[in-house]
Amino acid sequence: MKKFLEEHRKKFGEFEVIEFVDEAEVQRLRDKIDTGVPLDIHWSWEYGSEVAELRNLYEKGKVNQWNAETDLDWDIPVSKDDWVLKPEASMLAQACAMMGKDEKTQKAAAFDELGYILSQLLHGEQAALQLCGQLTNVCDKMDQKWYAASQVVDEARHIEAISKFLQRKMGTIYPVGATLKFLLDELLEAEGMQKKTLGMQTLFEGTAVGIMDMMRTESVNPLFTDLIRRVEQDESRHAAFGVLTMRRVVKEASEAEMHEMEDWAFGILETLNANQQIDMLKLFGPKYGIDPEFMTRMFTSLPNFAELNSMAFMHTVVPNLKRLGLITDRTEPEWKRVGLMVDQRGGTAGGALPEVA
Ligand SMILES: [Fe+2]
Ligand SMILES: [Fe+2]
């Protein structure tokens, strides 16, 4: 199987991490703001509905629109002197606590970490916006075009809501991490509707739903809870589009095409996971006296590493891939080896379609 970013990999014990050591290279990736994308444009003269389940998603999207400016209570305070998420949700706060630092420092560290993670989600939202814009062109059915157009509006609202939260309440938008920028470009540059839908709606949105669900559960700030709840509700529609569309794609795929999609899906998420939190730890480590390499080595060598690490992936994306036949006996051991997948109680992850609000 092809590995992405081979030249940036190194072993921390059993775990292979991806780290960009050369800051100039990170900057080059961030400065690459123009990219050529092969795009086929399809007209459709069929204006009636052909794919009922997608028309249904489009209708649900219309009913569940919300306004990021007026539906959220922006007067609710957010401060680095208060917990936004429960303390146990922050790797930095826990490290500070273990080193005996006071609660004020732990809260400040958790605030920095949340700002960083939210900033990465924000950059992912921008990629989703641009990719869905592409889908309105490359899809050949009118129901797909309508659905993709409705997702463009959703993603614009997510960018609005998260960027306003970062600017108004947290004060900083952190730049995109190098590994994430590389992967988002890989998705945006992918050829054809199948690969674009597999990459964005199935892999990234499926993972995002898992991360957001954990954030919402851990949130103790009512504004943040409401923001994530609303975004997550939209994202579950997006992940559903990924599964509904991919279900048709895999039905028609040859064995060779299935293998290619299966390997690509693993390659993308393995790369995302291989960065762990190194970029964030390198940024804030010095401020709190934390050694990024030590932290990452410690986490990846924990006896229950796979269980902790796989939580966001096991929520939606892994069950969906398994159900689609894109995790098979051929690749399942690899998913488990890198901590993206664990056996669920009562058997292996079987999964169900995401719930669509
Ligand atoms: Fe989004
Ligand atoms: Fe989305």
Side-chain angles (χ1 to χ4, degrees):
M1 268 188 278
K2 183 192 159 200
K3 272 186 186 171
F4 293 108
L5 298 173
E6 194 83 65
E7 64 281 18
H8 296 285
R9 288 168 181 264
K10 58 183 174 188
K11 282 272 195 182
F12 279 6
E14 289 297 298
F15 193 84
E16 197 170 87
V17 297
I18 291 178
E19 183 187 355
F20 282 74
V21 182
D22 180 5
E23 274 306 310
E25 197 176 349
V26 175
Q27 203 49 50
R28 265 198 300 280
L29 266 168
R30 284 182 188 143
D31 289 344
K32 187 186 152 207
I33 53 171
D34 298 315
T35 184
V37 174
L39 207 59
D40 287 330
I41 293 176
H42 294 293
W43 283 86
S44 168
W45 305 124
E46 176 52 65
Y47 290 99
S49 178
E50 293 179 278
V51 193
E53 56 200 15
L54 293 187
R55 180 61 63 97
N56 198 19
L57 266 190
Y58 171 77
E59 291 295 336
K60 280 185 172 147
K62 276 198 292 189
V63 172
N64 288 307
Q65 291 296 301
W66 50 282
N67 185 328
E69 188 56 50
T70 54
D71 286 333
L72 292 169
D73 183 357
W74 290 101
D75 291 336
I76 296 172
V78 180
S79 157
K80 65 171 176 295
D81 296 325
D82 291 314
W83 296 109
V84 182
L85 304 181
K86 288 177 194 158
E88 55 270 27
S90 165
M91 184 189 241
L92 286 185
Q94 287 189 70
C96 286
M98 276 193 295
M99 291 187 297
K101 295 187 189 287
D102 61 16
E103 202 179 332
K104 190 177 164 59
T105 310
Q106 294 172 34
K107 285 176 178 166
F111 192 85
D112 282 342
E113 181 177 338
L114 179 63
Y116 186 87
I117 294 169
L118 264 189
S119 298
Q120 304 311 308
L121 281 174
L122 172 67
H123 304 310
E125 298 287 357
Q126 185 183 163
L129 170 84
Q130 312 209 71
L131 192 135
C132 284
Q134 297 179 17
L135 284 183
T136 62
N137 287 295
V138 295
C139 289
D140 53 7
K141 299 228 183 318
M142 196 52 74
D143 294 304
Q144 297 167 330
K145 289 179 188 293
W146 286 15
Y147 167 78
S150 77
Q151 190 178 332
V152 170
V153 180
D154 291 346
E155 303 301 2
R157 181 172 54 241
H158 298 172
I159 298 172
E160 179 193 351
I162 299 174
S163 66
K164 281 180 173 171
F165 187 87
L166 283 164
Q167 285 164 332
R168 292 175 180 174
K169 300 296 183 182
M170 303 199 81
T172 313
I173 294 177
Y174 294 97
V176 66
T179 307
L180 180 63
K181 174 63 167 54
F182 170 85
L183 290 173
L184 293 175
D185 279 342
E186 174 77 16
L187 302 196
L188 287 166
E189 291 165 17
E191 253 181 273
M193 177 212 161
Q194 289 86 346
K195 218 167 176 188
K196 288 182 191 299
T197 303
L198 173 59
M200 183 52 78
Q201 272 95 347
T202 313
L203 301 180
F204 267 58
E205 310 237 29
T207 304
V209 170
I211 295 170
M212 286 177 187
D213 205 53
M214 286 162 68
M215 282 181 151
R216 186 180 44 78
T217 314
E218 303 288 343
S219 175
V220 287
N221 179 288
L223 170 59
F224 189 70
T225 308
D226 197 24
L227 165 72
I228 294 295
R229 182 185 64 78
R230 288 173 181 277
V231 174
E232 194 187 344
Q233 201 175 55
D234 294 341
E235 298 302 354
S236 67
R237 274 198 311 278
H238 307 167
F241 171 79
V243 175
L244 294 174
T245 301
M246 290 310 296
R247 209 155 58 180
R248 288 165 185 271
V249 171
V250 298
K251 231 186 249 173
E252 288 160 17
S254 67
E255 201 183 328
E257 287 167 337
M258 285 299 284
H259 276 192
E260 200 206 321
M261 286 190 279
E262 187 179 354
D263 290 348
W264 191 68
F266 176 76
I268 295 282
L269 290 190
E270 186 274 337
T271 304
L272 183 69
N273 184 56
N275 186 238
Q276 286 291 311
Q277 301 266 39
I278 292 176
D279 297 345
M280 185 275 291
L281 289 168
K282 275 165 75 174
L283 187 62
F284 302 123
K287 188 171 167 187
Y288 298 105
I290 292 166
D291 176 357
E293 183 168 331
F294 174 78
M295 276 293 289
T296 309
R297 278 183 187 276
M298 194 179 74
F299 181 63
T300 53
S301 62
L302 287 174
N304 58 343
F305 162 71
E307 217 167 290
L308 297 172
N309 186 73
S310 66
M311 279 166 78
F313 300 100
M314 288 298 290
H315 184 278
T316 296
V317 65
V318 164
N320 282 348
L321 287 171
K322 180 104 181 149
R323 205 179 144 102
L324 286 166
L326 293 173
I327 297 177
T328 63
D329 291 347
R330 184 174 68 88
T331 50
E332 189 168 315
E334 284 299 290
W335 286 83
K336 288 180 175 164
R337 187 182 61 78
V338 298
L340 286 167
M341 184 177 183
V342 286
D343 283 334
Q344 277 180 324
R345 248 170 289 162
T348 310
L353 275 172
E355 255 180 57
V356 183

